[in-house]
Amino acid sequence: IPNKLDMWRLDQEECLWEFVECENGEITMLTLDEVFEGGSRIPMELGMAFDKLQYLSMSKNGFKGTLPPSFYRLTNLQYLDLHENLLESPLDESIGRLFVQLQTLDLHENSFSGSLPSTIANLENLVSLRLGSNFFKSEVLDTIIMSLTNLEHLELSNNRFSGTIPYDLTMELSSLTSLDLGENAFFGDFELLPGDDAPLKNLVVQGNALFGTFPNFIGNFTNLEILRFGNSNVAGSIPPELGRLEKLHTLSIESNKLTGSIPTSLGLLSALQVLWLDKNRLEGSIPTEIGNLRKLTSIYFQSNEFQNTLPTELGLLTDLYELFADINRFTGTFPTELTQLTNLEYLTLSFNRIDAPTPPEMCSIDLIIYEADCDDECECCTRCW
């Protein structure tokens, strides 16, 4: 086996080799991340020489081609990580028949294609399944995935999976803490039943073709920390039930067809750090309750129809480093309270109706980008419109 494994000496006890761990004199763990030269293939000897393996990690090696037939002799595997390689072609049906002890399967960021083998449904011990950033297709959620009832982490993003999202997905997979279905071809109405004390912390459905309005049931997943719903084709208003998600730190619902105003209940999200509402049809005033969100670092209001003055309470968000509020209908004077945001690096206020010039104090902040409707009257603007 080439490269860094050349140091493995045949006259030395195997369990003393680098990257190896043993149990009872047998090699059971190989950690071979970033060990091989890019463009090589997975060594055929692997399945013949290490048939007692329980743990195999070979990520970031640039492996190309397919999994060698001898690979499927590793039937004791409980952990298999091949992420960030260049492996391709459909997965063999044998993966679900022979690797029945697998608890972790990580194939993300490769070039696998075709349908996911139906035998994956046999991997009842799976706790973590990561298949993101490949070229898989087919409908999998209501067939294969629903059988994997011990799953805690499911990541299918950036593929070509299709079909509807079963409403009872999180009830059947009641241990799920992370569900990432983003950037696929899922469609239809989106509804999930949370079950009792649903542990879900990470929910990503962005970049699909969902129907209907923004779901208010999201407020029942009270353990959520990350909600990414951008570019999902949903309409309607932002449900006030989101205010129940007191652990939420990322809310990304940009590039949809949302209308109405921001509910004041969002001011209850005291853990929120990222608020992305851009590229919708939202209107009305920004609620003053936004000043309660003292952990905010990133706000995207741009490309909506927000009106009236920017609230002075924005000046309370001293951790804020980016505020994008361009292409709206904001009016009134420049809120001088923004000069208190000394961590700010990006500020866009252009294409609004804000009359007053930029306060000189604003120029003492080291802004990387500052765009405004200033007619070349702003000394520190990076661009005037």
Short mmCIF file of all heavy atoms in Angstrom, two decimals, residues 142 146 164-172 189-195 217 221:
data_model
loop_
_atom_site.label_atom_id
_atom_site.label_comp_id
_atom_site.label_asym_id
_atom_site.label_seq_id
_atom_site.Cartn_x
_atom_site.Cartn_y
_atom_site.Cartn_z
N ASP A 142 -39.55 7.72 1.72
CA ASP A 142 -40.66 6.90 2.21
C ASP A 142 -40.43 5.41 1.98
O ASP A 142 -41.29 4.59 2.28
CB ASP A 142 -41.99 7.33 1.57
CG ASP A 142 -41.95 7.30 0.05
OD1 ASP A 142 -40.86 7.04 -0.49
OD2 ASP A 142 -42.99 7.55 -0.57
N MET A 146 -36.98 5.45 5.71
CA MET A 146 -37.94 5.24 6.81
C MET A 146 -37.68 3.95 7.57
O MET A 146 -38.21 3.76 8.67
CB MET A 146 -39.36 5.25 6.26
CG MET A 146 -39.82 6.61 5.79
SD MET A 146 -40.27 7.72 7.14
CE MET A 146 -42.00 7.31 7.35
N THR A 164 -41.84 13.21 -2.32
CA THR A 164 -42.36 14.05 -1.24
C THR A 164 -41.64 13.70 0.07
O THR A 164 -41.01 12.66 0.20
CB THR A 164 -43.87 13.85 -1.07
OG1 THR A 164 -44.13 12.47 -0.81
CG2 THR A 164 -44.61 14.28 -2.33
N ILE A 165 -41.76 14.60 1.03
CA ILE A 165 -41.17 14.39 2.35
C ILE A 165 -42.28 13.85 3.25
O ILE A 165 -43.27 14.56 3.50
CB ILE A 165 -40.61 15.71 2.91
CG1 ILE A 165 -39.52 16.24 1.97
CG2 ILE A 165 -40.04 15.50 4.31
CD1 ILE A 165 -39.00 17.62 2.33
N PRO A 166 -42.18 12.62 3.72
CA PRO A 166 -43.27 12.02 4.52
C PRO A 166 -43.55 12.83 5.79
O PRO A 166 -42.62 13.23 6.50
CB PRO A 166 -42.72 10.63 4.86
CG PRO A 166 -41.66 10.35 3.86
CD PRO A 166 -41.06 11.68 3.52
N TYR A 167 -44.80 13.05 6.07
CA TYR A 167 -45.18 13.87 7.23
C TYR A 167 -44.77 13.20 8.54
O TYR A 167 -44.54 13.86 9.55
CB TYR A 167 -46.69 14.12 7.24
CG TYR A 167 -47.53 12.93 7.60
CD1 TYR A 167 -47.93 12.71 8.91
CD2 TYR A 167 -47.91 12.00 6.63
CE1 TYR A 167 -48.70 11.60 9.26
CE2 TYR A 167 -48.67 10.88 6.97
CZ TYR A 167 -49.05 10.69 8.27
OH TYR A 167 -49.79 9.59 8.60
N ASP A 168 -44.64 11.85 8.53
CA ASP A 168 -44.29 11.14 9.76
C ASP A 168 -42.80 10.77 9.82
O ASP A 168 -42.41 9.91 10.62
CB ASP A 168 -45.14 9.89 9.92
CG ASP A 168 -45.08 8.95 8.72
OD1 ASP A 168 -44.57 9.38 7.66
OD2 ASP A 168 -45.55 7.80 8.83
N LEU A 169 -41.97 11.44 9.00
CA LEU A 169 -40.55 11.11 8.94
C LEU A 169 -39.90 11.23 10.31
O LEU A 169 -39.18 10.34 10.76
CB LEU A 169 -39.84 12.02 7.93
CG LEU A 169 -38.34 11.81 7.75
CD1 LEU A 169 -38.06 10.44 7.15
CD2 LEU A 169 -37.74 12.90 6.86
N THR A 170 -40.14 12.35 10.99
CA THR A 170 -39.48 12.56 12.28
C THR A 170 -40.15 11.78 13.42
O THR A 170 -39.59 11.71 14.52
CB THR A 170 -39.44 14.05 12.64
OG1 THR A 170 -40.75 14.62 12.47
CG2 THR A 170 -38.46 14.78 11.73
N MET A 171 -41.32 11.20 13.16
CA MET A 171 -41.92 10.32 14.15
C MET A 171 -41.34 8.92 14.02
O MET A 171 -41.02 8.26 15.03
CB MET A 171 -43.44 10.29 13.99
CG MET A 171 -44.13 11.58 14.38
SD MET A 171 -45.92 11.40 14.50
CE MET A 171 -46.07 10.37 15.97
N GLU A 172 -41.20 8.45 12.79
CA GLU A 172 -40.60 7.14 12.57
C GLU A 172 -39.12 7.14 12.95
O GLU A 172 -38.61 6.20 13.54
CB GLU A 172 -40.77 6.71 11.11
CG GLU A 172 -42.21 6.47 10.70
CD GLU A 172 -42.84 5.31 11.46
OE1 GLU A 172 -42.13 4.31 11.70
OE2 GLU A 172 -44.03 5.41 11.82
N ASP A 189 -46.33 19.53 -0.47
CA ASP A 189 -46.55 20.16 0.83
C ASP A 189 -45.57 19.61 1.85
O ASP A 189 -45.24 18.42 1.83
CB ASP A 189 -47.98 19.90 1.30
CG ASP A 189 -49.01 20.64 0.45
OD1 ASP A 189 -48.69 21.75 0.01
OD2 ASP A 189 -50.09 20.08 0.23
N PHE A 190 -45.13 20.48 2.72
CA PHE A 190 -44.14 20.09 3.72
C PHE A 190 -44.75 20.16 5.10
O PHE A 190 -45.16 21.22 5.56
CB PHE A 190 -42.92 21.00 3.64
CG PHE A 190 -41.85 20.69 4.65
CD1 PHE A 190 -41.28 19.43 4.70
CD2 PHE A 190 -41.43 21.64 5.55
CE1 PHE A 190 -40.30 19.12 5.63
CE2 PHE A 190 -40.45 21.37 6.48
CZ PHE A 190 -39.89 20.10 6.53
N GLU A 191 -44.85 18.99 5.73
CA GLU A 191 -45.37 18.95 7.09
C GLU A 191 -44.68 17.82 7.83
O GLU A 191 -44.50 16.72 7.29
CB GLU A 191 -46.89 18.72 7.10
CG GLU A 191 -47.48 18.75 8.50
CD GLU A 191 -48.99 18.71 8.49
OE1 GLU A 191 -49.58 18.68 7.40
OE2 GLU A 191 -49.57 18.71 9.59
N LEU A 192 -44.25 18.09 9.03
CA LEU A 192 -43.62 17.08 9.88
C LEU A 192 -44.32 17.05 11.22
O LEU A 192 -44.59 18.10 11.81
CB LEU A 192 -42.13 17.39 10.09
CG LEU A 192 -41.18 17.25 8.90
CD1 LEU A 192 -39.78 17.67 9.31
CD2 LEU A 192 -41.17 15.83 8.37
N LEU A 193 -44.58 15.85 11.70
CA LEU A 193 -45.13 15.70 13.04
C LEU A 193 -43.96 15.50 14.00
O LEU A 193 -43.16 14.59 13.82
CB LEU A 193 -46.07 14.49 13.11
CG LEU A 193 -47.29 14.57 12.17
CD1 LEU A 193 -48.13 13.30 12.32
CD2 LEU A 193 -48.13 15.81 12.50
N PRO A 194 -43.87 16.32 15.02
CA PRO A 194 -42.67 16.30 15.86
C PRO A 194 -42.58 15.14 16.83
O PRO A 194 -41.48 14.81 17.28
CB PRO A 194 -42.76 17.63 16.62
CG PRO A 194 -44.21 17.92 16.68
CD PRO A 194 -44.79 17.39 15.40
N GLY A 195 -43.67 14.49 17.19
CA GLY A 195 -43.59 13.47 18.22
C GLY A 195 -43.36 14.11 19.58
O GLY A 195 -43.37 15.34 19.74
N PHE A 217 -45.98 24.51 12.00
CA PHE A 217 -45.64 23.41 12.89
C PHE A 217 -44.17 23.46 13.33
O PHE A 217 -43.79 22.81 14.31
CB PHE A 217 -45.90 22.05 12.22
CG PHE A 217 -44.96 21.73 11.07
CD1 PHE A 217 -43.70 21.22 11.30
CD2 PHE A 217 -45.36 21.94 9.75
CE1 PHE A 217 -42.84 20.92 10.26
CE2 PHE A 217 -44.51 21.65 8.71
CZ PHE A 217 -43.24 21.15 8.96
N PHE A 221 -40.97 22.13 17.17
CA PHE A 221 -39.65 21.51 17.30
C PHE A 221 -38.79 22.42 18.18
O PHE A 221 -37.89 23.11 17.71
CB PHE A 221 -39.02 21.30 15.92
CG PHE A 221 -39.65 20.19 15.13
CD1 PHE A 221 -40.73 20.43 14.30
CD2 PHE A 221 -39.15 18.91 15.22
CE1 PHE A 221 -41.31 19.41 13.57
CE2 PHE A 221 -39.72 17.87 14.49
CZ PHE A 221 -40.81 18.11 13.66
#
